[in-house]
Amino acid sequence: MSALWSVGAGLLLLLLWVRHRGLEAVLVHHRWVFVCLFLLPLSILFDIYYQLRAWAVWRLHSAPRQHAQRVRHIQAQVREWKNEGSKRYMCTGRPGWLTVSLRVGKYKKTHKNIMINLMDVLEVDSERQIVRVEPLVSMGQLTAHLNPMGWTIPVVPELDDLTVGGLIMGTGIESSSHIYGLFQHTCVAYELVLADGSLVRCSPTENSDLFYAVPWSCGTLGFLVAAEIKMIPAKKYVKIHYEPVRGLQKICEKFTEESKKKENSFVEGLLYSLDEAVIMTGVLTDEAEQSKINRIGNYYKPWFFKHVEKYLKADRTGIEYIPSRHYYHRHTRSIFWELQDIIPFGNNPIFRYLFGWMVPPKISLLKLTQGETIRKLYEQHHVVQDMLVPMKSLEKSIQTFHIDLNVYPLWLCPFILPNNPGMVHPKGDEAELYVDIGAYGEPKRKQFEARASMRQMEKFVRSVHGFQMLYADCYMTREEFWDMFDGSLYHKLREQMNCKDAFPEVYDKICKSARH
């Protein structure tokens, strides 16, 4: 009873403090209070619900049977839109706050919302080494499903809540991408409901123009209802080698050298300042030295980027064996390093041991509860951007990031970009090695101004024939956007498939210049 009185008294004092400071002030300046007391428990309930649902669906084998019925329902909604006179653009009915992108699409309020409730694994074909999934299947859900069966997918993008649909219609990358390319390059077929309500399958040999135009189109060519993705055999561990490197030129040389080695299953770099980094290389293996196993995904373990930093501070190399699924989702618990700005003490050992099992809060819930004040603060004083640039421009790119943003750590992830048709391909006729530079956090550059600084960054990326990931804030004009991306196939298909009255152009859907 005394414990209940203590809890009650604590809650009363908290409510009095909130009333004194004002709810908005607490949510802005002490957001961790709201996150720890409400969003973390809610996030746990979300996870439990979706895990139980996925388990029940698979045990009952109901997903394949229900899939066809759900697709017919989507087709019926599209035909209803046509019968109403096609007066508004269409979009998915999924609320904007549920997406991992920090952007909340205002178009949801004005467009015809098509409800798409497709979130199940449909088939695992071991003979063809293909998994067929619905678009709302998440990376956490997919690896949990495949790993016990001895399979994984070649590219498993962070974070757990990223969905197959988002990674195809946008893009996705992981430290294995120097071998396999972007997430879209591991897909072998898509199924879409088009603007006329028809169901179409596309692959490199069947409706190939549509297959290559779908990635990066952000749902403006049709509604994705299923995808077929390559599988590869899973192994128990990733043997990871940590190597601190100092000096920007040496960092770029070492990172480029390791990225070209196909014997490396994984390559990743964390840049902690302009001239300090840790380069990590990993190899899949079933054998491990027991004394060197690090189950980094356990809730009480240090956040991965903090763990990596220890090798830099100690100026020593190291080898560890990380369980494969822990490795695939190594940045999830700290949302890379974004969570340190929300819960400043989140990596404290006491917090990790007591409450780490509830971390991270759902990004969707953070978006839902952020309010207009926090949204504006984030927009003006916070950066979440991924720029994809040719590896040969890495050193120049890092210097530009430092001058225009000064955000650390920076995430470096190499990928091979094949010369396929579509919006994103190398400038030449052959595949080229690129690198994703990820900047997440508060810029330390003096007099940082979001629009001016990002437009400067975008200009640089265009100049080296790079690309900006479209989940993030984009400030380009329409002409600049189509200078960065190849719109020839995209526009041709929008004309052929009568998309212009059905879906907005991708630029109008994602760019700030079009949305405001």
Side-chain angles (χ1 to χ4, degrees):
M1 185 63 71
S2 59
L4 288 174
W5 278 109
S6 299
V7 171
L11 287 173
L12 179 61
L13 289 172
L14 175 64
L15 290 172
L16 290 172
W17 177 67
V18 169
R19 184 178 180 183
H20 171 70
R21 294 296 305 272
L23 181 59
E24 185 177 33
V26 170
L27 289 178
V28 172
H29 301 292
H30 306 278
R31 200 179 183 196
W32 62 267
V33 175
F34 183 73
V35 169
C36 291
L37 289 180
F38 298 102
L39 296 194
L40 289 181
L42 275 176
S43 297
I44 289 292
L45 293 176
F46 260 61
D47 281 336
I48 291 172
Y49 167 75
Y50 283 111
Q51 287 170 11
L52 287 175
R53 183 196 175 282
W55 177 84
V57 165
W58 185 251
R59 293 292 295 178
L60 295 171
H61 302 288
S62 61
R65 294 195 305 272
Q66 293 180 354
H67 175 74
Q69 179 183 341
R70 289 170 178 162
V71 171
R72 285 194 294 271
H73 178 59
I74 294 167
Q75 292 177 282
Q77 293 178 77
V78 173
R79 289 173 183 136
E80 180 186 358
W81 165 82
K82 285 188 67 179
N83 293 335
E84 291 172 350
S86 310
K87 296 176 182 177
R88 296 181 292 164
Y89 287 140
M90 292 184 288
C91 67
T92 66
R94 191 185 189 206
W97 60 270
L98 272 175
T99 63
V100 172
S101 167
L102 294 180
R103 182 176 59 244
V104 177
K106 295 180 180 179
Y107 60 85
K108 297 279 186 180
K109 297 178 181 178
T110 57
H111 293 183
K112 169 75 172 178
N113 282 214
I114 305 298
M115 301 310 298
I116 298 178
N117 185 29
L118 301 171
M119 57 181 69
D120 296 316
V121 178
L122 298 173
E123 181 185 6
V124 177
D125 189 334
S126 298
E127 285 190 16
R128 293 173 57 222
Q129 295 193 17
I130 297 293
V131 58
R132 182 167 173 257
V133 299
E134 294 179 328
L136 294 181
V137 168
S138 70
M139 289 299 99
Q141 177 186 352
L142 189 54
T143 55
H145 188 96
L146 292 179
N147 289 173
M149 303 169 69
W151 295 103
T152 187
I153 55 175
V155 176
V156 185
E158 303 279 353
L159 308 153
D160 279 22
D161 290 341
L162 290 171
T163 63
V164 168
L167 294 167
I168 291 171
M169 290 296 184
T171 194
I173 192 171
E174 188 40 81
S175 53
S176 57
S177 289
H178 66 295
I179 299 173
Y180 299 105
L182 299 171
F183 186 83
Q184 69 203 55
H185 301 127
T186 68
C187 298
V188 297
Y190 309 127
E191 296 169 38
L192 298 101
V193 172
L194 303 183
D196 61 359
S198 62
L199 177 64
V200 173
R201 184 180 187 273
C202 58
S203 72
T205 58
E206 180 184 5
N207 298 308
S208 59
D209 278 357
L210 180 58
F211 177 79
Y212 290 115
V214 163
W216 295 76
S217 66
C218 297
T220 59
L221 293 174
F223 295 109
L224 184 70
V225 295
E228 296 177 22
I229 309 166
K230 296 175 187 175
M231 297 190 303
I232 58 173
K235 294 192 176 181
K236 293 180 181 177
Y237 301 99
V238 175
K239 180 183 179 182
I240 188 166
H241 177 261
Y242 304 90
E243 182 171 349
V245 185
R246 286 179 166 81
L248 181 56
Q249 184 177 350
K250 289 184 178 179
I251 290 169
C252 296
E253 289 174 354
K254 180 66 175 175
F255 186 76
T256 303
E257 175 190 339
E258 296 298 340
S259 300
K260 290 179 178 179
K261 294 179 181 177
K262 299 301 182 185
E263 60 265 32
N264 288 329
S265 305
F266 306 98
V267 179
E268 175 182 26
L270 293 184
L271 199 68
Y272 290 92
S273 70
L274 183 61
D275 57 2
E276 292 182 314
V278 178
I279 307 299
M280 289 159 279
T281 56
V283 178
L284 286 164
T285 178
D286 283 322
E287 306 297 328
E289 298 176 46
Q290 292 300 310
S291 61
K292 293 183 178 180
I293 293 176
N294 183 3
R295 293 179 171 82
I296 194 71
N298 288 347
Y299 69 87
Y300 50 83
K301 288 284 190 174
W303 291 345
F304 184 70
F305 80 97
K306 287 293 187 182
H307 172 69
V308 173
E309 192 176 17
K310 291 177 183 176
Y311 291 95
L312 182 65
K313 291 181 176 179
D315 197 24
R316 64 179 177 86
T317 61
I319 290 177
E320 289 184 328
Y321 295 82
I322 299 179
S324 294
R325 191 157 186 268
H326 288 221
Y327 177 82
Y328 290 138
H329 304 286
R330 64 200 177 280
H331 291 298
T332 292
R333 288 190 301 122
S334 56
I335 317 178
F336 280 90
W337 31 92
E338 288 278 67
L339 197 57
Q340 66 181 348
D341 293 333
I342 299 170
I343 307 177
F345 47 82
N347 194 48
N348 182 284
I350 296 174
F351 181 86
R352 292 200 314 265
Y353 275 89
L354 292 178
F355 305 108
W357 56 277
M358 291 194 289
V359 167
K362 290 286 184 187
I363 295 175
S364 54
L365 294 179
L366 289 171
K367 284 174 63 178
L368 179 64
T369 59
Q370 68 181 359
E372 190 63 19
T373 302
I374 294 177
R375 189 193 65 77
K376 288 181 178 178
L377 280 172
Y378 261 69
E379 187 174 295
Q380 293 300 322
H381 305 288
H382 198 87
V383 167
V384 180
Q385 291 282 349
D386 283 86
M387 299 294 188
L388 315 180
V389 297
M391 185 67 78
K392 61 190 177 188
S393 303
L394 177 58
E395 185 172 350
K396 187 178 178 182
S397 300
I398 291 173
Q399 290 171 337
T400 302
F401 268 73
H402 180 77
I403 293 169
D404 291 341
L405 301 179
N406 195 9
V407 171
Y408 294 98
L410 288 177
W411 189 52
L412 305 180
C413 185
F415 69 99
I416 191 73
L417 184 61
N419 187 32
N420 292 338
M423 286 176 60
V424 172
H425 55 76
K427 191 172 184 178
D429 296 329
E430 297 181 356
E432 185 174 347
L433 192 61
Y434 270 62
V435 56
D436 173 10
I437 304 178
Y440 324 118
E442 184 180 347
K444 299 298 188 291
R445 178 200 174 193
K446 292 181 180 179
Q447 298 175 334
F448 170 80
E449 199 280 314
R451 187 178 186 279
S453 297
M454 287 317 306
R455 280 191 53 76
Q456 189 69 23
M457 285 292 305
E458 291 164 351
K459 181 180 179 181
F460 167 78
V461 172
R462 290 196 305 276
S463 74
V464 297
H465 198 73
F467 309 95
Q468 180 181 23
M469 282 199 184
L470 301 184
Y471 75 87
D473 285 335
C474 174
Y475 294 86
M476 289 183 280
T477 65
R478 192 179 304 273
E479 292 71 26
E480 290 166 344
F481 182 86
W482 290 118
D483 180 45
M484 176 179 285
F485 296 99
D486 182 353
S488 54
L489 180 60
Y490 172 79
H491 291 303
K492 171 188 163 186
L493 283 176
R494 276 179 61 82
E495 190 75 41
Q496 287 180 356
M497 301 191 307
N498 299 316
C499 293
K500 290 189 173 183
D501 293 329
F503 307 104
E505 186 183 297
V506 61
Y507 175 81
D508 295 309
K509 194 169 182 180
I510 62 98
C511 283
K512 278 187 167 289
S513 297
R515 292 184 288 117
H516 295 284

